[in-house]
Amino acid sequence: MLNFTYDIPTKVHFGDDALDYIGEEARKFTDKILLTYGGGSIKDNGIYEKVLLELEASGVKVYELSGIKPNPRIDSVREGIRIIKEKEIGAIIAVGGGSTIDASKFMAAGAMVDFDPWKFISENKPMSPALPLLTVLTMAATGSEMDCGGVITNLETNEKLSSGHKDTRPKVSFLDPTLTYTVNKYQTACGTVDILSHIFENYFNVDESMYMLDRIMESLMKTVIKYGPIALKEPENYEARANLMWASSWAINGFVSASSKSSWTVHPMEHELSAFYDITHGLGLAILTPRWMEYVLNEKTAHKFYDLGVNVFDIDKNLDKLEVGKIVIKKLNKFFFKDLELDSNLKDIGIDESKFDQMSKKACGKKGKIEGFVELSPADVKEIYSMCL
Ligand code: NZQ
Ligand code: ZN
């Protein structure tokens, strides 16, 4: 077990009354706030009016930045920083999913400096200090509501990369599961995959000493596998939406990764797919994950698949470990592509092999490899992309 510091200072208001606290919380930070949001779903479902009403009732002046796209662009970040500086705004409230929250993290840090925010990525400049960020989560997926990081896209360079700092972790997050009732089937499915993938990225690691965290992750995975399909069929099932929402936060808020030697594998491969083809993050993860598992499953790695199979998928514990691994992959394929109704290969979503060389190299980054549960070279990554066709 490695040494670690556990420090998750995001205050969470959870439940169908969460928005009632917005005004009093915002007031603690500022009397001028930037409200950021995406393509307008919050106007269709009434969240916008409710948030605005609460903020204005508490005497906070609200400025707005809308139009933040899925796979958020650095251009939105630049625009947000411009407004913050011009109006001398004291905090940001991001209302949306991971895209709106991530872009707002870059705004929060970018507002404090004079250089272009892409330098947080290209020159690895620290995202500190940062303006206080508050979030109203409208879909369960990324966990951005409770983590430090953000992922941002530069369309000019076909790059989608992440950065973050403890200063960009939200100060307060309002998690009301009823706000996710209007998330459509497809986004609910993609969000479910994303949560599960965050747990996999921590679960599949080379640290054999994290018995306690492994068992907690198995419970989180069971939760997501149980409630994802229910939320798809019954979008207004509070229990399902609430379990998914809280699982999304705990999958990535640092608790299950504390002390482990995990290194994320499928996410860097997926980020290349969404950087080049602008696909939904969770869909890319669904297509890649079972293929990655097939690629890395062998006598040496089978014990981890065995734990997953027996403890999460209820597979017969008397079977051979490798056999259990193969059944896990089958069950996962069924979960992603039948239960969650997602497309199962890249060709079906219009992606061919033409950029695989370029994407494989970029996925391996400056180190030239992905040091995960099983180390992958660009050639390995290319092979995994090819398996997804
Ligand atoms: O744009 P709006 O109108 O808000 O519509 C959004 C968008 O079209 C819609 N939506 C959200 N809440 C809704 C709703 N529609 C109806 N009712 C609601 N209540 O859903 C669509 C997708 O939204 P988006 O924010 O893009 O989804 P998600 O939360 O999955 O975020 C994805 C982004 O987060 C990054 C991904 O790479 C991707 O760029 N990630 C961020 C992470 C982090 N910060 O830690 C980790 C993740 O691994 C991930 O990489
Ligand atoms: Zn993710």
Side-chain angles (χ1 to χ4, degrees), residues 104-155:
S104 303
K105 287 178 178 173
F106 282 89
M107 290 174 211
M112 310 296 273
V113 293
D114 287 329
F115 55 79
D116 184 76
W118 187 247
K119 291 193 177 175
F120 291 126
I121 299 288
S122 62
E123 295 182 14
N124 209 15
K125 289 193 179 282
M127 289 176 65
S128 168
L131 281 188
L133 171 66
L134 295 81
T135 82
V136 175
L137 186 66
T138 64
M139 66 175 277
T142 66
S144 191
E145 66 277 8
M146 221 175 158
D147 76 7
C148 306
V151 193
I152 200 80
T153 295
N154 188 334
L155 284 182

Side-chain angles (χ1 to χ4, degrees), residues 125-190:
K125 289 193 179 282
M127 289 176 65
S128 168
L131 281 188
L133 171 66
L134 295 81
T135 82
V136 175
L137 186 66
T138 64
M139 66 175 277
T142 66
S144 191
E145 66 277 8
M146 221 175 158
D147 76 7
C148 306
V151 193
I152 200 80
T153 295
N154 188 334
L155 284 182
E156 284 158 29
T157 56
N158 279 331
E159 285 176 293
K160 181 179 179 187
L161 291 164
S162 61
S163 187
H165 187 277
K166 67 180 176 49
D167 290 354
T168 52
R169 193 192 287 275
K171 298 281 180 281
V172 189
S173 282
F174 306 90
L175 308 189
D176 174 353
T178 68
L179 304 188
T180 67
Y181 285 175
T182 52
V183 179
N184 66 26
K185 258 188 167 185
Y186 171 68
Q187 288 294 345
T188 300
C190 291

